[in-house]
Amino acid sequence: MKPVIAVSDIHGQMLVFPELEKIRAKYPDAPVVFGGDYQDSMHHHSGFSVAQRIMEMQQAEPDKIFAIKGNHDASAWESLTGENDFWLEADGEDVIAEATLLKGHKLTSMKMATEFVRRDYADLIDWMGRLPLTVKLNKLLFVHAGLNLSLSNPIEDTPDHDKYWLREEYWFSVQPYFARNSLNCAIVSGHTPTSNITGLYLDGTADSATKRNRVASRIGVFTVQYKGEYARYFIDGGNHGGPSYYIGNIAVFDMDTGRLIEALENGKLSK
């Protein structure tokens, strides 16, 4: 067994990290994959602190810490590099305000604060822009939102934008029936709180290897798996839009088999 620790959609919630360290102490040799969406614009405004923490972890352990890009990270990077104002108009100003104050600047205007952030966090902004869209570790593929499984090569041919924005197009083949996994590996994604994902199996039954679904929390880890196929795991714990005390999910997988080992669901351990 070769464990891999995965956490996605932190959305500015710094309280995820103490829980992550507990899991890392239990699996000290396991790599960690961060599944995107480090930024948020609702309850938690510490997205830059989250991204900074992950970037520093990656610099300290480049062979163990992996991070991919989510739609919120892409939107933040686009707005902060002048491509558009989408993230700024979607309440990114709160994140900028906190990041500015953390650097000791006075918050005199949003325009000035944005310029301070572009200057003081230039390395972090560049890091967010360069994040990959997928990470593959043996029998585990990590992607923020999903893949177009109808393509002959979903990993290579799914457009970049879709990899961090897909929802129903990834979940279902024909609604409300779950799509099958055509890949020779399990797929781990976030992007949508798992409480929002429901559906049916085309033949009415799931694989008996499907270990568990949202055991300790209604926004816990959700598994879709057909008989004879690798699973698709959905691990977004609902930090974005959920109550301020949500800390999300931390899942542990076996990279040799693609199986889920255990998960911390919003602070509750479930096997």
Side-chain angles (χ1 to χ4, degrees), residues 1-30:
M1 182 176 72
K2 293 183 179 179
V4 178
I5 302 167
V7 56
S8 187
D9 297 83
I10 296 175
H11 284 291
Q13 173 56 287
M14 291 296 291
L15 292 177
V16 171
F17 291 101
E19 299 300 330
L20 175 60
E21 290 309 309
K22 294 176 186 177
I23 298 293
R24 293 196 75 191
K26 188 174 182 179
Y27 300 96
D29 297 323

CSV table of all heavy atoms in Angstrom, one decimal, residues 1-30:
chain,number,residue,atom,x,y,z
A,1,MET,N,0.8,-1.2,0.0
A,1,MET,CA,0.0,0.0,0.0
A,1,MET,C,0.9,1.2,0.0
A,1,MET,O,1.8,1.3,0.8
A,1,MET,CB,-0.9,0.0,1.2
A,1,MET,CG,-1.9,1.2,1.3
A,1,MET,SD,-3.0,1.1,2.7
A,1,MET,CE,-1.9,1.5,4.0
A,2,LYS,N,0.6,2.2,-0.9
A,2,LYS,CA,1.3,3.5,-1.0
A,2,LYS,C,0.3,4.6,-0.8
A,2,LYS,O,-0.4,5.0,-1.8
A,2,LYS,CB,2.0,3.6,-2.3
A,2,LYS,CG,3.2,2.6,-2.4
A,2,LYS,CD,4.0,2.8,-3.7
A,2,LYS,CE,5.1,1.8,-3.8
A,2,LYS,NZ,5.9,2.0,-5.1
A,3,PRO,N,0.1,5.1,0.4
A,3,PRO,CA,-0.9,6.2,0.6
A,3,PRO,C,-0.6,7.5,0.0
A,3,PRO,O,0.6,7.9,-0.2
A,3,PRO,CB,-0.9,6.3,2.2
A,3,PRO,CG,-0.2,5.1,2.7
A,3,PRO,CD,0.8,4.7,1.6
A,4,VAL,N,-1.7,8.2,-0.4
A,4,VAL,CA,-1.6,9.5,-1.0
A,4,VAL,C,-2.7,10.3,-0.2
A,4,VAL,O,-3.8,9.9,-0.1
A,4,VAL,CB,-1.9,9.6,-2.5
A,4,VAL,CG1,-1.8,11.0,-3.0
A,4,VAL,CG2,-0.8,8.8,-3.2
A,5,ILE,N,-2.3,11.5,0.3
A,5,ILE,CA,-3.3,12.4,1.0
A,5,ILE,C,-3.8,13.4,0.0
A,5,ILE,O,-3.0,14.0,-0.7
A,5,ILE,CB,-2.6,13.0,2.2
A,5,ILE,CG1,-2.1,11.9,3.2
A,5,ILE,CG2,-3.6,13.9,2.9
A,5,ILE,CD1,-1.1,12.5,4.2
A,6,ALA,N,-5.1,13.6,0.0
A,6,ALA,CA,-5.6,14.6,-0.9
A,6,ALA,C,-6.6,15.5,-0.2
A,6,ALA,O,-7.4,15.1,0.6
A,6,ALA,CB,-6.4,13.9,-2.1
A,7,VAL,N,-6.5,16.8,-0.5
A,7,VAL,CA,-7.5,17.8,0.0
A,7,VAL,C,-7.7,18.8,-1.1
A,7,VAL,O,-6.8,19.2,-1.8
A,7,VAL,CB,-6.9,18.5,1.3
A,7,VAL,CG1,-5.5,19.1,1.0
A,7,VAL,CG2,-7.9,19.5,1.8
A,8,SER,N,-9.0,19.2,-1.3
A,8,SER,CA,-9.4,20.1,-2.4
A,8,SER,C,-10.3,21.2,-1.9
A,8,SER,O,-10.9,21.0,-0.8
A,8,SER,CB,-10.1,19.3,-3.5
A,8,SER,OG,-10.3,20.1,-4.6
A,9,ASP,N,-10.4,22.3,-2.6
A,9,ASP,CA,-11.3,23.3,-2.3
A,9,ASP,C,-11.2,23.8,-0.9
A,9,ASP,O,-12.2,23.9,-0.1
A,9,ASP,CB,-12.8,22.8,-2.6
A,9,ASP,CG,-12.9,22.5,-4.1
A,9,ASP,OD1,-12.6,21.4,-4.5
A,9,ASP,OD2,-13.4,23.4,-4.8
A,10,ILE,N,-10.0,24.2,-0.5
A,10,ILE,CA,-9.8,24.8,0.8
A,10,ILE,C,-10.5,26.1,1.0
A,10,ILE,O,-11.0,26.5,2.0
A,10,ILE,CB,-8.3,24.9,1.1
A,10,ILE,CG1,-7.7,23.5,1.2
A,10,ILE,CG2,-8.1,25.7,2.4
A,10,ILE,CD1,-6.1,23.6,1.3
A,11,HIS,N,-10.5,26.9,-0.1
A,11,HIS,CA,-11.2,28.2,-0.1
A,11,HIS,C,-10.9,29.1,1.0
A,11,HIS,O,-11.8,29.6,1.7
A,11,HIS,CB,-12.8,27.9,-0.2
A,11,HIS,CG,-13.2,27.5,-1.6
A,11,HIS,ND1,-13.2,28.3,-2.7
A,11,HIS,CD2,-13.7,26.3,-2.0
A,11,HIS,CE1,-13.7,27.7,-3.7
A,11,HIS,NE2,-14.0,26.4,-3.4
A,12,GLY,N,-9.6,29.3,1.3
A,12,GLY,CA,-9.2,30.3,2.3
A,12,GLY,C,-9.4,29.9,3.7
A,12,GLY,O,-9.2,30.7,4.6
A,13,GLN,N,-9.7,28.6,4.0
A,13,GLN,CA,-9.9,28.1,5.4
A,13,GLN,C,-8.6,27.6,5.9
A,13,GLN,O,-8.2,26.5,5.7
A,13,GLN,CB,-11.0,27.1,5.4
A,13,GLN,CG,-11.2,26.3,6.7
A,13,GLN,CD,-11.5,27.3,7.8
A,13,GLN,OE1,-10.7,27.9,8.3
A,13,GLN,NE2,-12.8,27.2,8.3
A,14,MET,N,-7.9,28.4,6.7
A,14,MET,CA,-6.6,28.0,7.3
A,14,MET,C,-6.7,26.9,8.3
A,14,MET,O,-5.7,26.2,8.6
A,14,MET,CB,-5.9,29.3,7.9
A,14,MET,CG,-5.5,30.3,6.9
A,14,MET,SD,-4.2,29.7,5.8
A,14,MET,CE,-2.8,29.6,6.9
A,15,LEU,N,-7.9,26.7,8.9
A,15,LEU,CA,-8.0,25.6,9.9
A,15,LEU,C,-7.9,24.2,9.3
A,15,LEU,O,-7.9,23.2,10.0
A,15,LEU,CB,-9.3,25.8,10.6
A,15,LEU,CG,-9.5,27.0,11.5
A,15,LEU,CD1,-10.8,27.1,12.1
A,15,LEU,CD2,-8.4,27.0,12.6
A,16,VAL,N,-7.8,24.1,8.0
A,16,VAL,CA,-7.6,22.8,7.3
A,16,VAL,C,-6.2,22.3,7.7
A,16,VAL,O,-6.0,21.1,7.9
A,16,VAL,CB,-7.7,22.9,5.8
A,16,VAL,CG1,-7.3,21.6,5.1
A,16,VAL,CG2,-9.2,23.3,5.4
A,17,PHE,N,-5.2,23.2,7.8
A,17,PHE,CA,-3.8,22.8,7.9
A,17,PHE,C,-3.5,22.0,9.2
A,17,PHE,O,-2.7,21.0,9.2
A,17,PHE,CB,-2.9,24.0,7.7
A,17,PHE,CG,-2.9,24.4,6.3
A,17,PHE,CD1,-3.7,25.6,5.9
A,17,PHE,CD2,-2.3,23.8,5.3
A,17,PHE,CE1,-3.7,26.0,4.6
A,17,PHE,CE2,-2.3,24.2,3.9
A,17,PHE,CZ,-3.0,25.3,3.6
A,18,PRO,N,-4.0,22.4,10.4
A,18,PRO,CA,-3.7,21.6,11.6
A,18,PRO,C,-4.2,20.2,11.4
A,18,PRO,O,-3.6,19.2,11.9
A,18,PRO,CB,-4.4,22.3,12.7
A,18,PRO,CG,-4.5,23.8,12.2
A,18,PRO,CD,-4.7,23.7,10.7
A,19,GLU,N,-5.4,20.0,10.8
A,19,GLU,CA,-6.0,18.7,10.6
A,19,GLU,C,-5.1,17.9,9.6
A,19,GLU,O,-4.9,16.7,9.7
A,19,GLU,CB,-7.4,18.8,10.1
A,19,GLU,CG,-8.3,19.5,11.1
A,19,GLU,CD,-8.4,18.7,12.4
A,19,GLU,OE1,-8.2,17.5,12.5
A,19,GLU,OE2,-8.6,19.4,13.4
A,20,LEU,N,-4.6,18.6,8.6
A,20,LEU,CA,-3.8,17.9,7.6
A,20,LEU,C,-2.5,17.4,8.2
A,20,LEU,O,-2.0,16.3,7.9
A,20,LEU,CB,-3.4,18.9,6.4
A,20,LEU,CG,-2.5,18.4,5.4
A,20,LEU,CD1,-3.0,17.2,4.7
A,20,LEU,CD2,-2.2,19.6,4.4
A,21,GLU,N,-1.9,18.2,9.1
A,21,GLU,CA,-0.7,17.8,9.8
A,21,GLU,C,-0.9,16.5,10.6
A,21,GLU,O,0.0,15.7,10.7
A,21,GLU,CB,-0.1,18.9,10.7
A,21,GLU,CG,0.4,20.1,9.8
A,21,GLU,CD,1.4,19.6,8.8
A,21,GLU,OE1,2.3,18.9,9.1
A,21,GLU,OE2,1.2,20.0,7.6
A,22,LYS,N,-2.1,16.4,11.2
A,22,LYS,CA,-2.4,15.2,12.0
A,22,LYS,C,-2.4,13.9,11.0
A,22,LYS,O,-1.9,12.9,11.4
A,22,LYS,CB,-3.7,15.3,12.7
A,22,LYS,CG,-3.8,16.4,13.8
A,22,LYS,CD,-5.2,16.5,14.3
A,22,LYS,CE,-5.3,17.6,15.3
A,22,LYS,NZ,-6.7,17.8,15.8
A,23,ILE,N,-3.0,14.1,9.9
A,23,ILE,CA,-3.1,13.0,8.9
A,23,ILE,C,-1.7,12.7,8.4
A,23,ILE,O,-1.3,11.5,8.2
A,23,ILE,CB,-4.0,13.4,7.7
A,23,ILE,CG1,-5.4,13.6,8.2
A,23,ILE,CG2,-4.0,12.3,6.6
A,23,ILE,CD1,-6.1,12.3,8.7
A,24,ARG,N,-0.9,13.7,8.1
A,24,ARG,CA,0.5,13.5,7.7
A,24,ARG,C,1.3,12.8,8.7
A,24,ARG,O,2.2,12.0,8.3
A,24,ARG,CB,1.2,14.8,7.3
A,24,ARG,CG,0.5,15.5,6.1
A,24,ARG,CD,1.4,16.6,5.5
A,24,ARG,NE,2.6,16.0,4.8
A,24,ARG,CZ,3.6,16.7,4.4
A,24,ARG,NH1,3.8,18.0,4.7
A,24,ARG,NH2,4.6,16.1,3.7
A,25,ALA,N,1.1,13.0,10.0
A,25,ALA,CA,1.8,12.3,11.0
A,25,ALA,C,1.5,10.9,11.0
A,25,ALA,O,2.3,10.0,11.3
A,25,ALA,CB,1.5,13.0,12.4
A,26,LYS,N,0.3,10.5,10.6
A,26,LYS,CA,-0.2,9.1,10.5
A,26,LYS,C,0.4,8.4,9.3
A,26,LYS,O,0.7,7.2,9.3
A,26,LYS,CB,-1.7,9.1,10.5
A,26,LYS,CG,-2.3,7.7,10.6
A,26,LYS,CD,-3.8,7.8,10.7
A,26,LYS,CE,-4.4,6.4,10.9
A,26,LYS,NZ,-5.9,6.5,11.0
A,27,TYR,N,0.6,9.2,8.2
A,27,TYR,CA,1.2,8.7,7.0
A,27,TYR,C,2.4,9.5,6.6
A,27,TYR,O,2.3,10.3,5.6
A,27,TYR,CB,0.1,8.7,5.9
A,27,TYR,CG,-1.1,7.9,6.2
A,27,TYR,CD1,-2.3,8.5,6.7
A,27,TYR,CD2,-1.2,6.5,5.9
A,27,TYR,CE1,-3.4,7.8,6.9
A,27,TYR,CE2,-2.3,5.8,6.2
A,27,TYR,CZ,-3.5,6.4,6.7
A,27,TYR,OH,-4.6,5.7,6.9
A,28,PRO,N,3.5,9.4,7.3
A,28,PRO,CA,4.6,10.4,7.1
A,28,PRO,C,5.3,10.3,5.8
A,28,PRO,O,5.9,11.3,5.4
A,28,PRO,CB,5.6,10.0,8.2
A,28,PRO,CG,5.2,8.5,8.6
A,28,PRO,CD,3.7,8.4,8.4
A,29,ASP,N,5.1,9.2,5.1
A,29,ASP,CA,5.8,9.1,3.8
A,29,ASP,C,4.9,9.4,2.6
A,29,ASP,O,5.3,9.4,1.4
A,29,ASP,CB,6.4,7.7,3.6
A,29,ASP,CG,7.4,7.3,4.6
A,29,ASP,OD1,8.2,8.3,4.9
A,29,ASP,OD2,7.5,6.2,5.1
A,30,ALA,N,3.6,9.7,2.9
A,30,ALA,CA,2.7,9.9,1.8
A,30,ALA,C,2.8,11.3,1.2
A,30,ALA,O,2.9,12.3,1.9
A,30,ALA,CB,1.2,9.8,2.4
